[in-house]
Amino acid sequence: MYPGLDFDREELAAVMRQTYDELIAFVATPAFVALHDHMMALDPKDRPGFVTSVVMNRDELSKWDIVVPDGILIQTSAFGDRRPTLFAVKKFLPRKYHVVWENLNWTFDNDREKLNVPRSLDKAWRPPLPVELQNRLMANGEDLQAVPAAYGVSPDRFAPAQPVGFVDSGS
Amino acid sequence: MPHDLDPDHLQKVTAEMIEAITSPAFVEAMRKMKAAPADQKLSEGARLLNPDTLRKAGVPLPDGMRITSRYFEPGSEAIDVNAHGAFLATDPANPLRLAAEAGVCACGGAATVCGGAGN
């Protein structure tokens, strides 16, 4: 067992393996690969708009024969290191493990320029930019690294996430 | 060079990720970071999840792995997650929205597709 926890490394690794396998089974489907290849063939400035209009829209996804499995989420996000990211395919781990890790994901970035994304601690741990701002900057071909840290999301965002509302599932 | 979404490649990337992020030193660092007050999470993340520090503690971080702050936009799905991690559909007329999530993300993998773990 990990000290102070009611599970061990083998158990956590097993549930992570299963969860990653579920995500891989989705993102490696021919339909999703076709969507990904189409997106990456677009001009990098046009990809954020494609994500908003197609990737985040289940009706549009269905036109690509993509059905998102129950329990898998497609979300937009931003990183402190300001890598130019587009969207993530994500699945939560069971609550039992949230004391350590809450979710696993595949993240899709805009271009290979992230090789130039800084790794220094002072850059990696900046407050991430709001996604809408990030996407507008990418759509205009702007340098995400040039935006002052003050434009990042509020530290209040780093409070534990809580559902807005509650529905008793009865389970 | 394999396609970014080649399943064998993704399996290899995630095997390395799991080896790193389940290591006892990484798990302990994550617990401490999560316990920090919200306004100190970024500074504590930088301190506790410093790749050099983790490597010295024996964490087998894959080459190229990044550990950073991350912010997810709120989901718009009518969902909740039960104790087993399964999502539960809720009343579409009264959708349950996830609050914005922010925390740490460890990502490793190909140039434009990376496997990550977050909280």
Side-chain angles (χ1 to χ4, degrees):
Chain A
M1 294 289 177
Y2 293 113
L5 298 177
D6 62 351
F7 54 89
D8 60 18
R9 184 178 189 175
E10 183 179 4
E11 179 182 332
L12 179 60
V15 75
M16 284 184 158
R17 180 71 270 157
Q18 179 182 340
T19 305
Y20 269 133
D21 287 347
E22 291 175 34
L23 291 169
I24 291 170
F26 174 56
V27 302
T29 55
F32 190 92
V33 170
L35 176 86
H36 174 262
D37 289 351
H38 176 87
M39 179 183 75
M40 297 310 287
L42 297 174
D43 186 291
K45 293 180 181 178
D46 294 331
R47 294 174 192 158
F50 181 78
V51 170
T52 301
S53 62
V54 177
V55 179
M56 302 301 294
N57 184 323
R58 294 204 181 206
D59 291 337
E60 291 296 320
L61 288 179
S62 69
K63 296 176 184 174
W64 287 79
D65 293 327
I66 293 173
V67 177
V68 182
D70 288 344
I72 289 181
L73 296 171
I74 299 179
Q75 286 183 274
T76 52
S77 69
F79 292 89
D81 64 9
R82 306 272 180 86
R83 78 190 69 170
T85 195
L86 292 168
F87 70 95
V89 176
K90 169 176 149 181
K91 184 176 175 67
F92 279 100
L93 296 170
R95 283 199 192 280
K96 172 180 182 179
Y97 307 104
H98 288 196
V99 66
V100 181
W101 293 105
E102 295 184 8
N103 72 82
L104 301 182
N105 58 78
W106 283 102
T107 297
F108 297 83
D109 291 335
N110 196 3
D111 54 43
R112 296 174 188 274
E113 291 178 4
K114 83 174 178 182
L115 294 173
N116 298 321
V117 171
R119 292 181 176 275
S120 62
L121 294 178
D122 63 321
K123 302 292 188 187
W125 290 90
R126 287 174 289 186
L129 296 175
V131 168
E132 184 175 353
L133 172 60
Q134 169 186 260
N135 288 351
R136 287 187 182 190
L137 292 167
M138 285 195 289
N140 288 325
E142 307 271 359
D143 179 9
L144 299 180
Q145 300 297 331
V147 180
Y151 285 82
V153 297
S154 166
D156 292 343
R157 296 282 198 184
F158 291 82
Q162 296 293 332
V164 181
F166 176 77
V167 176
D168 185 357
S169 66
S171 61
Chain B
M1 184 174 178
H3 188 283
D4 279 351
L5 297 179
D6 174 69
D8 292 339
H9 173 66
L10 301 183
Q11 287 277 344
K12 179 176 181 294
V13 168
T14 49
E16 293 175 349
M17 281 287 296
I18 292 170
E19 181 71 10
I21 65 181
T22 63
S23 64
F26 208 141
V27 165
E28 184 60 19
M30 284 296 294
R31 289 184 65 193
K32 289 179 179 175
M33 194 281 293
K34 290 201 69 167
D39 62 353
Q40 296 175 27
K41 277 203 163 57
L42 294 180
S43 58
E44 283 295 279
R47 184 179 71 84
L48 294 164
L49 300 172
N50 180 335
D52 291 340
T53 303
L54 292 173
R55 284 195 172 97
K56 286 176 184 172
V59 178
L61 293 184
D63 289 341
M65 186 172 177
R66 293 175 178 273
I67 306 172
T68 74
S69 52
R70 186 177 197 176
Y71 156 73
F72 277 103
E73 275 291 290
S76 58
E77 305 298 325
I79 52 170
D80 191 14
V81 58
N82 71 11
H84 305 290
F87 277 86
L88 308 169
T90 59
D91 179 1
N94 184 25
L96 182 72
R97 290 177 181 269
L98 290 180
E101 301 166 64
V104 59
C105 184
C107 273
T112 58
V113 182
C114 69
N119 71 15

